Amino acid sequence: MLYASKCRTELYINTISCAPTPDTVLPGFCMLSSAHLVPTSVRLVPSWICSSSRSFMDLKALLSSLNDFASLSFAESWDNVGLLVEPSPPHTVNTLFLTNDLTEQVMEEALQKKADLILSYHPPIFRAMKHVTWKTWKERLVIRALENRVAIYSPHTAYDAAPQGVNNWLAKGLGTCTTRPIHPSTAPNYPTEGAHRLEFSVNHTQDLNKVMSAVKGIGDVSVTSFAARCDDEEQTRVSLNCTQTALMQVLAFLSQNRQLYQKTEILSLEKPLLLDTGMGRLCTLDQSVSLATMIERIKEHLKLSHLRLALGVGKTLESPVKIVALCAGSGGSILQGVEADLYLTGEMSHHDVLDAASKGINVILCEHSNTERGFLSDLQQMLGVHLENKINIILSETDRDPLHVV
């Protein structure tokens, strides 16, 4: 069976290796002349079947590549991200299936399309399961995944925070603008060992030897020393990077040996901020536009015919919009207190909307997943490049927001 290389107008035909004679009529073909054979039937092949040029990836290797694309360390501490369902190893992946929400209808589609790994933006398993039976729909998802050897992975807020993630995609619909995270992410680790730095001076060599010996006997401490001059007196400055627990032990030693040191400083170290990474986006447009124009831009970007609007006090559809604060999904907690002309998110509580409007801030709500789902098309392209087109990556066609305007 021969598959065409392009996955939009794929055809397949029966082929043989021997050359037919003029008197030969092959099964499945009709004779037009002694020199031409044509197939009697042509069948379209769905684009998700075209896999002849693809190879497999081991699940563990694929998960490592996905983490390189957007680290799970970006995710919020309360979130449940990463590999949620794993078939018994080894498990290879030929088809990666992308969806915003993994419902039973979407699972059926994934199985029909021979998915080996489902990337569900929202984690289908969030609260702890005490049993896995056929009773609830989320339990049935786990059962069907394991029965059919399909892994399930969820990035959720890791993709919200990522520089090339959901919120950056949402900002693309506003027009030309500069963006920065509303709540920047910090690096997963401190720049040095430990979260605290303790510095003090020691006057005499014998004192320094005693101090260094005692400090080095405490775990989770990194020690350096250097010469310093204070009040025309040569001293040795000792600097320690340590954990909170180690800091308390060092201070306990020093408090019992006050004659050994002087001029003490304690610094609390912070994890460095990550560039262009974090929750929400504060977007400053190059040129102001009317609220009415911004509404049309958002509708076009999200492919929506309707959205919900709360006008800020004293504002009209002709009011200018220069600064937009946005957060995909449910953005009330992220947007709260941010100064902007417009809040854009999927959903907010009634009282959060009232609070924003009272401050003259317009609010646009598009329903939760409508502010996220469109990102998956960009993700499909980006992952194709990142994974060097080693596997098939397909989008769900049944995934959609559960709420509709009627």
Side-chain angles (χ1 to χ4, degrees):
M1 191 170 285
L2 175 66
Y3 289 88
S5 60
K6 293 185 178 180
C7 297
R8 292 295 179 189
T9 57
E10 309 83 339
L11 306 177
Y12 72 86
I13 60 173
N14 291 319
T15 62
I16 59 172
S17 59
C18 60
T21 66
D23 298 326
T24 304
V25 178
L26 302 175
F29 289 82
C30 60
M31 183 67 72
L32 291 186
S33 70
S34 61
H36 297 85
L37 294 173
V38 299
T40 57
S41 64
V42 176
R43 179 177 138 195
L44 289 176
V45 178
S47 60
W48 47 268
I49 293 181
C50 300
S51 59
S52 59
S53 63
R54 309 293 185 184
S55 59
F56 292 87
M57 288 188 71
D58 176 74
L59 177 61
K60 297 296 184 184
L62 177 53
L63 294 177
S64 178
S65 292
L66 290 175
N67 196 64
D68 290 339
F69 174 76
S71 174
L72 293 177
S73 66
F74 297 162
E76 295 290 277
S77 59
W78 50 261
D79 207 356
N80 189 35
V81 296
L83 185 62
L84 305 184
V85 175
E86 179 183 11
S88 58
H91 185 65
T92 54
V93 177
N94 179 54
T95 298
L96 172 60
F97 182 90
L98 307 181
T99 184
N100 200 80
D101 293 294
L102 183 55
T103 62
E104 290 189 278
Q105 292 81 6
V106 173
M107 172 62 82
E108 185 63 36
E109 179 192 3
L111 296 181
Q112 289 177 0
K113 294 180 177 179
K114 308 299 181 185
D116 305 295
L117 171 63
I118 297 173
L119 187 155
S120 176
Y121 167 74
H122 285 138
I125 303 173
F126 192 79
R127 297 181 180 87
M129 287 185 173
K130 294 185 177 181
H131 40 67
V132 180
T133 68
W134 204 248
K135 186 175 182 180
T136 68
W137 69 275
K138 290 194 173 184
E139 292 175 65
R140 291 194 292 271
L141 288 178
V142 175
I143 293 171
R144 297 206 70 192
L146 291 174
E147 286 180 340
N148 290 276
R149 293 193 57 77
V150 177
I152 300 175
Y153 174 91
S154 177
H156 200 203
T157 53
Y159 278 12
D160 288 346
Q164 74 283 28
V166 180
N167 284 306
N168 266 34
W169 166 81
L170 186 57
K172 289 180 181 179
L174 305 179
T176 306
C177 61
T178 57
T179 68
R180 63 177 177 84
I182 295 174
H183 295 292
S185 296
T186 57
N189 300 309
Y190 289 97
T192 61
E193 295 181 19
H196 299 275
R197 177 171 294 168
L198 172 64
E199 291 189 358
F200 56 89
S201 297
V202 178
N203 289 330
H204 306 292
T205 301
Q206 62 270 26
D207 293 341
L208 177 63
N209 292 336
K210 182 176 181 180
V211 169
M212 296 295 280
S213 177
V215 167
K216 288 180 179 179
I218 298 174
D220 298 322
V221 175
S222 174
V223 187
T224 58
S225 62
F226 51 93
R229 176 176 286 275
C230 182
D231 298 329
D232 294 326
E233 183 179 2
E234 292 291 338
Q235 297 179 335
T236 299
R237 193 73 175 162
V238 179
S239 178
L240 300 85
N241 291 329
C242 54
T243 63
Q244 175 74 32
T245 301
L247 174 65
M248 302 310 296
Q249 292 179 274
V250 174
L251 291 177
F253 166 77
L254 294 177
S255 65
Q256 296 170 8
N257 297 272
R258 296 179 182 273
Q259 75 281 3
L260 301 181
Y261 70 97
Q262 56 183 310
K263 294 183 171 62
T264 303
E265 292 181 314
I266 301 176
L267 304 176
S268 178
L269 304 180
E270 293 185 351
K271 296 177 181 179
L273 298 180
L274 297 177
L275 184 65
D276 299 326
T277 306
M279 295 300 163
R281 292 294 183 270
L282 189 64
C283 310
T284 304
L285 298 172
D286 288 2
Q287 293 184 337
S288 298
V289 298
S290 69
L291 177 59
T293 297
M294 181 57 68
I295 289 171
E296 292 308 311
R297 288 182 180 181
I298 293 170
K299 284 182 177 180
E300 181 179 2
H301 185 55
L302 301 184
K303 298 179 174 59
L304 297 176
S305 57
H306 300 85
L307 46 72
R308 292 189 286 167
L309 169 67
L311 283 172
V313 172
K315 299 301 172 64
T316 70
L317 290 176
E318 297 308 313
S319 296
V321 174
K322 178 71 172 179
I323 299 176
V324 180
L326 62 83
C327 181
S330 181
S333 61
I334 300 297
L335 301 178
Q336 190 170 31
V338 178
E339 293 185 7
D341 301 311
L342 171 66
Y343 285 174
L344 170 61
T345 187
E347 59 181 338
M348 285 175 63
S349 76
H350 174 77
H351 296 286
D352 285 343
V353 173
L354 289 177
D355 185 60
S358 72
K359 299 173 182 176
I361 301 172
N362 304 299
V363 179
I364 290 179
L365 305 180
C366 306
E367 306 308 342
H368 190 112
S369 67
N370 288 336
T371 58
E372 304 162 336
R373 184 170 289 101
F375 166 72
L376 295 180
S377 295
D378 279 16
L379 179 65
Q380 182 184 33
Q381 301 301 318
M382 289 188 289
L383 287 182
V385 173
H386 181 72
L387 300 175
E388 300 177 338
N389 294 313
K390 291 179 180 178
I391 60 174
N392 293 316
I393 304 175
I394 57 178
L395 290 177
S396 172
E397 297 177 5
T398 58
D399 173 44
R400 55 181 51 86
D401 195 276
L403 293 174
H404 303 274
V405 177
V406 296

